[in-house]
Amino acid sequence: MTVGPTTRRRQLGADLRRLRERKGLTLEEAGGRVGISKATLSRYETKEGSVKWPAVDALCREYGASDAERQALVELAKGARIQGWWRSLADPVPESMNLMLTLENEVVREDHYACMYVPGLLQTRAYAEAVHRASEVGCTDQEVTHMVDIRMRRQELLTRDEPPRLRAVIDEAVIRRVTGGRATMREQLRHLLVSARSPDISVQILPFSAGAHAAAVTSFVILGGPDSSLDVAYLDILGGGLFMEKPQELERYRLAFEYLCAQALDVDASATAIDRVCKEL
C-alpha cells in the first residue's frame, strides 16, 4: 500500500526525535545548530504542520545520520506536502474531520467498535443522512448533504486495489435501533450483510447477553498505519472527536478491542443475528 503524506509526516517526526536523542542534544541545542527555533523543531518532532526539507537535511547532518537515513528523511519531508482528495471539495471539510480523513486515507487496517450507529464506512446513504440529521440538529439541508457526500466518498477506500482490513464489532443496540425508519433500517442491515461477505471486512455483533464489556463508554476506531507505531485511536465525542496515540493509550484500546471480539458472536452467528433483526422489521 502506498504511504500517504500524513503517514510520512508522522514517521518523519518520530525519526527526527530518535536521531536527536541518539546524538544527545536538547531541542534548543539542535535547533540552534541549524538556525531554527526550539518551538519549530518541537513542532517538527510532534508531527504538526508543514516542514521544510532543507531544514530536515541540515538536521540530519548535525545528527550524524547516514546518507541513506538523511535521504530517506528528506524524501519523507517532500512527500508530506501532498494533500488529500477532500482538499478539492467545493465546500470545506469541518476542521474536526480533517485529521480523521487524512489518517483514514492512509490506513492499512481499521478496528471499529460501534455502540450507537453502524460504522460510517458501512452505512448506506439514507442511513447516514438520518444519523446526521439526528446528531447535527443545527445543520441546514445543504450542510447535511455535504457531510453525507463526504461519508460516501470515504467509503471508496474499501474498493481500492489494496483496501484496508476492516474489523467491526457492533453492539446489538445498533442493529435494533430503528434509524431513519423501518425501510431505511432494513436497507442498512441488508447492506451490512453484503459488506460482511467481503474478504477484507468482518462484522461481529456484541449481544446484550454478553453483559458488561471492555468498552461500555463510547464508540472508537483504531486506525492502523503501515507500522504499528503510527497507529491512532479515535474516540467519538459530542461535537467532534478525540485522538490518542501515546503507546499506553493505544495499548488500552487495542486490548479492549480484542476483548470485544472475544465477547462478540462469531461472524457467522453475527450474520444470522443481523438477518433475524432485518426480518423482524
Side-chain angles (χ1 to χ4, degrees), residues 182-253:
R182 297 168 71 87
T184 293
M185 196 65 201
R186 278 196 299 269
E187 179 192 31
Q188 174 61 70
L189 294 178
R190 289 169 184 153
H191 178 68
L192 200 55
L193 286 170
V194 171
S195 298
R197 295 180 191 138
S198 166
D200 300 303
I201 299 173
S202 68
V203 175
Q204 291 180 260
I205 300 301
L206 184 67
F208 292 143
S209 60
H213 56 80
V217 178
T218 186
S219 299
F220 66 87
V221 185
I222 300 173
L223 300 156
D227 183 325
S228 61
S229 67
L230 299 176
D231 289 358
V232 178
Y234 174 81
L235 281 64
D236 276 333
I237 60 174
L238 190 63
L242 180 64
F243 293 90
M244 296 187 175
E245 57 179 327
K246 293 180 180 179
Q248 62 270 31
E249 295 172 340
L250 280 169
E251 190 55 34
R252 289 180 62 189
Y253 283 96

Side-chain angles (χ1 to χ4, degrees), residues 19-271:
L19 289 172
R20 177 179 60 78
E21 291 178 342
R22 186 178 72 183
K23 188 69 172 178
L25 296 172
T26 66
L27 286 168
E28 190 169 12
E29 290 169 341
R33 292 190 180 190
V34 298
I36 62 176
S37 69
K38 174 183 175 181
T40 297
L41 182 52
S42 176
R43 178 172 56 78
Y44 281 13
E45 292 186 5
T46 52
K47 313 150 195 175
E48 298 176 357
S50 60
V51 60
K52 296 179 179 179
W53 72 259
V56 171
D57 183 84
L59 285 166
C60 286
R61 294 179 189 277
E62 286 295 333
Y63 295 158
S66 67
D67 286 343
E69 286 178 317
R70 179 174 55 80
Q71 291 168 7
L73 265 62
V74 167
E75 288 305 309
L76 283 175
K78 291 179 177 178
R81 301 175 65 182
I82 303 169
Q83 295 185 330
W85 57 263
W86 54 95
R87 302 289 187 178
S88 62
L89 294 175
D91 294 319
V93 171
E95 188 58 35
S96 60
M97 288 187 63
N98 186 58
L99 182 55
M100 178 63 175
L101 290 173
T102 305
L103 293 170
E104 189 173 66
N105 197 45
E106 301 169 13
V107 297
V108 297
R109 66 190 181 284
E110 285 197 29
D111 294 336
H112 288 250
Y113 166 62
C115 65
M116 182 64 69
Y117 299 119
V118 171
L121 291 176
L122 301 176
Q123 292 180 4
T124 64
R125 186 176 188 91
Y127 182 93
E129 181 174 338
V131 168
H132 277 293
R133 289 194 183 283
S135 58
E136 305 290 345
V137 292
C139 289
T140 65
D141 287 347
Q142 181 180 350
E143 289 170 330
V144 169
T145 298
H146 177 53
M147 297 299 290
V148 173
D149 285 345
I150 292 173
R151 179 152 296 182
M152 295 300 101
R153 182 72 183 272
R154 280 175 57 202
Q155 295 179 4
E156 292 180 8
L157 71 87
L158 297 178
T159 59
R160 291 175 177 172
D161 291 338
E162 296 182 56
R165 174 74 176 125
L166 174 62
R167 297 191 298 170
V169 176
I170 301 174
D171 195 283
E172 184 178 346
V174 172
I175 63 173
R176 292 195 175 276
R177 178 175 292 105
V178 180
T179 301
R182 297 168 71 87
T184 293
M185 196 65 201
R186 278 196 299 269
E187 179 192 31
Q188 174 61 70
L189 294 178
R190 289 169 184 153
H191 178 68
L192 200 55
L193 286 170
V194 171
S195 298
R197 295 180 191 138
S198 166
D200 300 303
I201 299 173
S202 68
V203 175
Q204 291 180 260
I205 300 301
L206 184 67
F208 292 143
S209 60
H213 56 80
V217 178
T218 186
S219 299
F220 66 87
V221 185
I222 300 173
L223 300 156
D227 183 325
S228 61
S229 67
L230 299 176
D231 289 358
V232 178
Y234 174 81
L235 281 64
D236 276 333
I237 60 174
L238 190 63
L242 180 64
F243 293 90
M244 296 187 175
E245 57 179 327
K246 293 180 180 179
Q248 62 270 31
E249 295 172 340
L250 280 169
E251 190 55 34
R252 289 180 62 189
Y253 283 96
R254 290 189 186 110
L255 186 60
F257 189 80
E258 294 307 322
Y259 273 115
L260 288 166
C261 287
Q263 290 178 281
L265 301 175
D266 64 31
V267 292
D268 291 333
S270 295

Side-chain angles (χ1 to χ4, degrees), residues 269-280:
S270 295
T272 299
I274 295 169
D275 185 58
R276 181 172 61 250
V277 174
C278 185
K279 289 175 179 176
E280 291 172 1

